[in-house]
Amino acid sequence: MLTGIKAAIIGGDARQLEVIRKLTALNASLYLVGFDQLDHGFTGATKMDLDDLPLGELDALILPVSGSGPGGEIDTIFSNKKIYFTEDILQKTKQSCTVFSGITNPYLTKCTSNANKKHIKLFERDDVAIYNAIPTVEGTIMMVIQHTDFTIHQSNLVVLGFGRVGFSVARTFANLGANVSVGARRSEHIARITEMGFKPFYLDDLENEVESIDVCINTIPAPIITSNVISKMPSHTLIIDLASKPGGTDFRFAEKRGIKALLAPGLPGIVAPKTAGKIIANVLTQLLMDESN
Ligand code: NAP
């Protein structure tokens, strides 16, 4: 149980509802900022403005998955009010107050480190990233179906990157009958790709591997699908870029060449907010329990 734990949830999307549900079910006391348009009430959760938070009493500050904007702006789908997260807010919390977000950015990292606060980036954890790959892959399948006029089955599909998302993308599309090639830079990845029955290639050879592809799915957060690579692709190729913004594709060149290239951020929150929220809520609960012991 989380009896006695006080946490503020500041902004977010539908995923935070699962966090609120789980934390209140475990008897935590929650303060909800940026939820004034949320109709649903939760026993143990109180809506309020940022200025009214009892900052000195908080054990945790839970920010949206995205953390904040580059200037501290907090996104919320449950309010029209502008909310800004500042270092000053953190300075007023007690030393043991922990900040949680999915990812971070230079602004947020500077705030938490200047205020000397523990900052847990949930999406940097392997468990969260692997669970989160499940709705990400389902969203990717949805996008490929929506934006092509051919089946996944028998299509030639290239996956770039063989991390937590790339691995699941490759396996799932292969299970749907696609001819999957995977590009990686590490020899152990090349070995595993081979072992799993996909066609491996080193990323240095990417330009030579795209001449007869139908779909290219990128998971590498670095400029990888360059103009040189795009110019070798057939014109009907669909590029789905899953990597975090700004993605790894030269979108301007793709557009110039008439190749459809889509940056697809935040798929779990779009296609399965409830599951994606539960993934966050489960890990968050465990971390809060560990911290309170
Ligand atoms: P990951 O486990 O760290 O995998 C990243 C992969 O990219 C690894 O294979 C890594 O290779 C490779 N890589 C990174 N930088 C590279 C470079 N400069 N050159 C060549 N290869 C490089 O990350 P992940 O969890 O799979 O996530 C992948 C991306 O998807 C991230 O940007 C993440 O934020 C994003 N994501 C998006 C969604 C969505 O809805 N669109 C959902 C979840 C995650 P090495 O192992 O050799 O370093």
Side-chain angles (χ1 to χ4, degrees), residues 103 123 126 129-130 132-133 135-137 140 160-167 183-186 188-189 203 218-224 241-245 263-270:
I103 55 174
F123 281 23
D126 254 350
I130 291 169
N132 212 38
T136 305
V137 172
T140 310
L160 302 179
F162 201 57
R164 289 139 330 168
V165 174
F167 185 98
R185 62 180 172 181
R186 289 206 252 158
E188 65 266 37
H189 283 167
L203 286 165
N218 178 47
T219 72
I220 298 175
I224 191 87
D241 200 332
L242 299 177
S244 51
K245 282 181 192 167
L263 186 62
L267 287 175
I270 295 167

Side-chain angles (χ1 to χ4, degrees), residues 55-242:
L55 291 170
E57 298 172 22
L58 295 178
D59 300 293
L61 270 168
I62 302 168
L63 300 177
V65 166
S66 58
S68 75
E73 318 83 309
I74 297 285
D75 282 342
T76 171
I77 61 164
F78 303 104
S79 175
N80 291 327
K81 294 182 187 167
K82 293 248 179 287
I83 304 168
Y84 290 94
F85 190 73
T86 62
E87 185 189 320
D88 192 45
I89 292 170
L90 284 176
Q91 297 285 10
K92 290 180 181 148
T93 61
K94 58 185 179 187
Q95 193 49 48
S96 59
C97 178
T98 304
V99 179
F100 294 90
S101 62
I103 55 174
T104 191
N105 59 49
Y107 174 88
L108 191 53
T109 300
K110 192 166 164 227
C111 287
T112 51
S113 72
N114 283 357
N116 203 17
K117 291 290 184 269
K118 188 168 174 189
H119 180 190
I120 297 182
K121 284 111 351 192
L122 294 165
F123 281 23
E124 285 183 3
R125 293 172 55 96
D126 254 350
D127 51 4
V128 175
I130 291 169
Y131 286 127
N132 212 38
I134 300 167
T136 305
V137 172
E138 291 191 11
T140 310
I141 295 168
M142 175 190 79
M143 291 197 70
V144 172
I145 292 172
Q146 274 174 347
H147 293 281
T148 54
D149 56 6
F150 49 84
T151 57
I152 291 169
H153 184 260
Q154 293 288 298
S155 64
N156 295 329
L157 188 137
V158 160
V159 180
L160 302 179
F162 201 57
R164 289 139 330 168
V165 174
F167 185 98
S168 297
V169 167
R171 186 168 43 80
T172 310
F173 277 91
N175 287 343
L176 289 171
N179 306 315
V180 174
S181 313
V182 185
R185 62 180 172 181
R186 289 206 252 158
S187 66
E188 65 266 37
H189 283 167
I190 296 293
R192 179 61 68 192
I193 293 161
T194 310
E195 181 273 330
M196 290 179 75
F198 315 136
K199 180 177 180 285
F201 65 89
Y202 279 100
L203 286 165
D204 289 344
D205 292 331
L206 179 57
E207 278 180 39
N208 304 321
E209 296 290 336
V210 297
E211 278 167 6
S212 58
I213 65 167
D214 302 304
V215 179
C216 180
I217 298 173
N218 178 47
T219 72
I220 298 175
I224 191 87
I225 309 183
T226 58
S227 53
N228 283 345
V229 174
I230 293 170
S231 59
K232 302 273 169 47
M233 291 176 172
S235 59
H236 72 273
T237 306
L238 170 68
I239 301 170
I240 304 281
D241 200 332
L242 299 177

